[in-house]
Amino acid sequence: MSMAKGPVLKVVFKTYNQHQPMLLPPSLDELIAANHPVRIVSDVLDKIDIGPLLRTYKTGGASNYHPLMLLKVIVYGYINNIYSSRKMEEALQQNIHFMWLSGMSQPDHNTINRFRSDRLKEPLRKIFVQVVELLATEGLLSLKELYTDGTKIEASANRYTFVWGKAIKTNKAKMKQQLDELWKYAQSVASSELDDTDPSGFDKISPHSVKATIEKIDASLKDKSVDPKIKQKLNYARKNWPKNLERYEQQEKILGNQRNSYSKTDRDATFMRMKEDHMKNGQLKPAYNLQISTNNQFITNYSIHQSTTDTNTLKDHLKQYRQQYNSLPEVLTADAGYGSEENYSYLQRNKIKAFVKYNQFDREQNSNIQSKQPYAADKLKYNKKEDHYICPAGKPMKNAGSTIKTTTTGFKQTITKYKAKGCSRCPLKDQCYQGQKDRVIDINHKLNRLKNKSRKELLSAEGVYHRKKRCADVEPVFANIKNNHQFRRFMLRGKEKVSVEAGLLAIAHNLRKKAA
């Protein structure tokens, strides 16, 4: 048997003594790298005037955790995808970065959540503006050029408890029809005992008018031989219709003029069609429309809306921007979701150079799509002097009058109709349009003028530059927040509290980008 030659090697381990005492224990500051993001969060927020936040506290009473500490902790939590107050409480006990930020303070989750949802309501936007202005001073962004877009983020609400405006209208219409039927039946049985009041003449049924009408029908049918089904329907109406109408009135007040739905567990949330739809069936979910404006991928403005479309959000979003910075941007770029007469007029009136598409702009650039509809209204020639359009057969389509159309936001549009003659005998009719009568087109002259101006801007060298940059400026911000940092559902309920969360997301995104 041969022996191994040479020295025998041993496995060597580093010294491990879990209970080794330290003469001078290290401080938390020594354990954190000099360029760690947590230092940037602390340094930036130390420069902020927190006076508006301090004013939310009342004098006297027990001592409070310092608001600057709580603000730093929450912002740093959002930077690290920690959105739950309970997870923040846990991090303050386990994570050295949170411990360093808090100075070893350990507020519980209730304190953190109350601070976030109540204390930050008013002052957070002012804090956000100060952060943006600091970044602008450092040359990281410009407040003169904005790229604007919106995304829908799910609300913290039950997905299956909802109220629909259309359902309310349908139920009220059915109620009115059934009341008419009951009235007509009562007239056929006891016409002499009813006055001339006819429920079908009501402009708007109300709990009072319905109750009064049912009482009249009841009185007229007293001691009469009544069909049992009618008696059953009348009893149901007496018990349920007035209180149902009272409930409908309350629901309509909550809906307002610009919404068609809301969630019962978060009345400010509107049901919207979401892109993040795992069922792939176009499911509607309670959500908020988050609008942001960016520059160099930094968020310069944010606003929360209940509207399901971006079109109706732009004016309020820019008004919010003006309140924050006491001025409007010089240049704004947005996609086709914002191209409306109201928005173009607002931008023009406020002398904002706009590169905003309208809904047919991209289709106009595609010759294959354009060739499929050679006789569309926007391709017909207009004789401004004679105020008529030329139909495909070369005949004039004369002005048939104008109407005023009011949008859901209260904006008034003038729509002018132009009507052709003798279409049934025209050899081009089947290619021109599919109607049975003479062709009528609806024209918004002001919108067409604004579109023409916008088209020239969009196709200019500057317009092409801004359109390309928009895709690389504002859209990656949403991708970063929703995909990289997994924020797809708000934690708080109610528009005011959701706006606080949006502000925290915006501050966290900006500081995260500064630290990158």
Side-chain angles (χ1 to χ4, degrees), residues 210-226:
V210 167
K211 187 177 180 181
T213 303
I214 292 172
E215 286 175 356
K216 288 178 182 178
I217 294 171
D218 257 342
S220 69
L221 296 178
K222 192 177 181 181
D223 301 326
K224 301 284 193 306
S225 177
V226 180

Side-chain angles (χ1 to χ4, degrees), residues 262-311:
Y262 71 84
S263 170
K264 289 182 179 179
T265 49
D266 181 356
R267 292 181 173 184
D268 289 345
T270 306
F271 277 78
M272 304 182 185
R273 208 169 295 283
M274 312 289 285
K275 287 183 180 177
E276 298 86 9
D277 180 14
H278 62 281
M279 296 295 288
K280 304 296 182 186
N281 60 358
Q283 187 180 19
L284 294 168
K285 295 178 184 176
Y288 289 93
N289 189 342
L290 170 62
Q291 295 288 313
I292 65 169
S293 291
T294 66
N295 184 277
N296 199 25
Q297 294 187 3
F298 286 94
I299 299 174
T300 61
N301 188 26
Y302 67 90
S303 56
I304 291 292
H305 303 267
Q306 297 168 304
S307 172
T308 57
T309 62
D310 293 336
T311 313

Side-chain angles (χ1 to χ4, degrees), residues 28 131 136 140 156 246 256 345-346 354 389 436:
L28 288 175
V131 171
L140 295 172
S156 174
E246 286 177 3
S345 299
Y346 179 83
Y389 277 80
Q436 298 296 319

Side-chain angles (χ1 to χ4, degrees), residues 36 124 302:
H36 196 278
L124 184 67
Y302 67 90

